[in-house]
Amino acid sequence: METNELSHIFERIGSHHASRRLELQTIHSAIRSGPTGLHISFENLDRVGPLLKALLKISGLWNRAVRNSLNYEIVEHPVRLQNLPPTFQGFRILHLSDLHLEGIADGGTALHRVISQIDYDLCVITGDFRLLTYGDYQHTLTCLAPLVKHIQCTHGIIGILGNHDFLEMVPGIETLGIRMLLNEAVPIQRGAETIWIAGVDDAHWYEVADLTKALQAVPKQDPIARILLAHSPEIIEEAALADIDLYLCGHSHGGQICMPGGTPIIVNSRCGREYAAGSWRHHHMQGYTTRGVGTSLLPVRLSCRPEIVVHHLFATT
Ligand SMILES: [Fe+2]
């Protein structure tokens, strides 16, 4: 990352946020799962991957599990919002998450083909562009470039960082045409009417989500539709109190390796399992936790298909 790009990021998000993230990234890169007070995440335990691979091979499930990781399910999800302006009736949001791009078994061929067949007005990506949680990210950006070319919509692409992503990736991601929200918000306009998309930085590992800051630019008066992008479903209490109408997130992978019938073994989130996958409601706030596109550790899924969601917005009647 160039020095002027780093100073621009500091200026944009403030030194407190930037310093904290960079410091934790450095600590994390150095020891990954050491005794630093950081959470120890499943995806950072080095021995889990080889052990899981051996188990899948011995049990004869490996080939099926790899094929499953490319068997994308397109989910059409209707959302009824009280404050939706009339011109946004039927507005479609393509929701991608947890791309973990370098780990996709076929290099992205099937994903590009599936995305090319979908119609939508806006695309949002709720974090985890990178496979690993440390090290090189240039390969991630190389894999992201062709995906971005396959995402075609009127209102562009908005993204946030996940716990696998580094702050230094932001300039490269934005150069490819994705507007990243780092505790920020942007208006989406149709005619004279507006909805707001706010996006927070990672709450799961780096704990740098600042919803108050993200909503600073959003007008206070009602009615206005507020959609929040968060990597994980771990700030739902705060978001509901802040009058978020729709909370879009990923992170859990829906479990990735599930029991027959789809019950996850691990969801890797500090919140209830009812928020681990699919649509949910918390008080007045609606939410959706996508199972995500990619995989962690290994390119495998069992009883848990990768998911591409299209949220269709409608006004309540
Ligand atoms: Fe992820």
Side-chain angles (χ1 to χ4, degrees):
M1 189 187 203
E2 303 287 333
T3 310
N4 62 338
E5 285 177 338
L6 189 62
S7 60
H8 177 67
I9 291 278
F10 267 74
E11 209 173 290
R12 174 172 157 190
I13 70 175
S15 60
H16 176 73
H17 176 181
S19 305
R20 176 174 166 77
R21 210 186 203 284
L22 290 173
E23 186 185 352
L24 291 179
Q25 286 177 187
T26 306
I27 294 169
H28 174 62
S29 294
I31 54 178
R32 287 192 280 157
S33 57
T36 62
L38 297 175
H39 320 295
I40 296 174
S41 280
F42 180 72
E43 64 263 31
N44 293 323
L45 299 177
D46 289 337
R47 293 196 184 115
V48 173
L51 184 64
L52 181 60
K53 186 171 184 175
L55 282 172
L56 289 169
K57 292 229 168 188
I58 289 164
S59 60
L61 289 170
W62 172 258
N63 288 340
R64 174 151 53 109
V66 173
R67 277 198 309 275
N68 290 347
S69 76
L70 300 172
N71 187 16
Y72 302 104
E73 182 179 5
I74 301 170
V75 174
E76 308 279 350
H77 177 235
V79 185
R80 300 210 168 267
L81 296 177
Q82 204 173 4
N83 299 323
L84 191 73
T87 54
F88 283 86
Q89 185 78 356
F91 193 77
R92 297 156 302 178
I93 301 175
L94 177 72
H95 181 189
L96 307 175
S97 194
D98 299 271
L99 298 167
H100 300 294
L101 286 158
E102 317 93 287
I104 298 178
D106 70 345
T109 307
L111 178 63
H112 300 165
R113 189 174 59 241
V114 170
I115 285 180
S116 298
Q117 294 163 1
I118 308 172
D119 291 320
Y120 45 91
D121 302 292
L122 168 73
C123 172
V124 300
I125 303 176
T126 51
D128 276 6
F129 293 84
R130 181 167 64 172
L131 174 62
L132 296 177
T133 57
Y134 59 94
D136 172 64
Y137 52 83
Q138 288 305 331
H139 187 39
T140 312
L141 299 177
T142 303
C143 297
L144 182 58
L147 173 64
V148 168
K149 287 200 178 111
H150 285 84
I151 300 174
Q152 299 289 333
C153 56
T154 311
H155 294 275
I157 313 171
I158 299 173
I160 56 169
L161 295 174
N163 62 300
H164 283 241
D165 304 317
F166 273 6
L167 190 59
E168 294 92 323
M169 293 164 63
V170 170
I173 294 173
E174 292 199 325
T175 298
L176 292 173
I178 300 174
R179 168 68 158 99
M180 295 297 285
L181 298 179
L182 302 162
N183 297 329
E184 298 165 308
V186 286
I188 302 292
Q189 262 185 304
R190 255 190 166 184
E193 294 177 315
T194 306
I195 61 172
W196 281 81
I197 311 285
V200 288
D201 198 352
D202 174 52
H204 174 72
W205 177 278
Y206 291 105
E207 298 182 347
V208 281
D210 187 338
L211 186 55
T212 306
K213 192 168 163 219
L215 294 174
Q216 259 169 11
V218 181
K220 302 273 188 297
Q221 77 274 14
D222 281 325
I224 192 162
R226 297 178 178 89
I227 298 171
L228 178 66
L229 311 182
H231 179 56
S232 68
E234 291 169 311
I235 57 165
I236 49 175
E237 292 295 345
E238 194 185 341
L241 284 171
D243 285 333
I244 295 298
D245 297 291
L246 178 63
Y247 185 123
L248 302 179
C249 62
H251 177 68
S252 68
H253 298 195
Q256 190 173 319
I257 304 282
C258 291
M259 306 288 282
T263 303
I265 299 163
I266 293 171
V267 294
N268 200 19
S269 298
R270 297 186 299 276
C271 60
R273 281 186 164 238
E274 64 270 37
Y275 306 108
S279 65
W280 45 262
R281 179 177 281 272
H282 188 70
H283 305 306
H284 73 282
M285 183 176 75
Q286 296 175 77
Y288 197 97
T289 308
T290 173
R291 298 191 300 271
V293 170
T295 57
S296 274
L297 285 173
L298 299 168
V300 294
R301 284 183 178 260
L302 285 175
S303 302
C304 183
R305 288 176 69 184
E307 182 181 53
I308 293 165
V309 191
V310 184
H311 303 286
H312 295 251
L313 307 189
F314 299 100
T316 49
T317 48

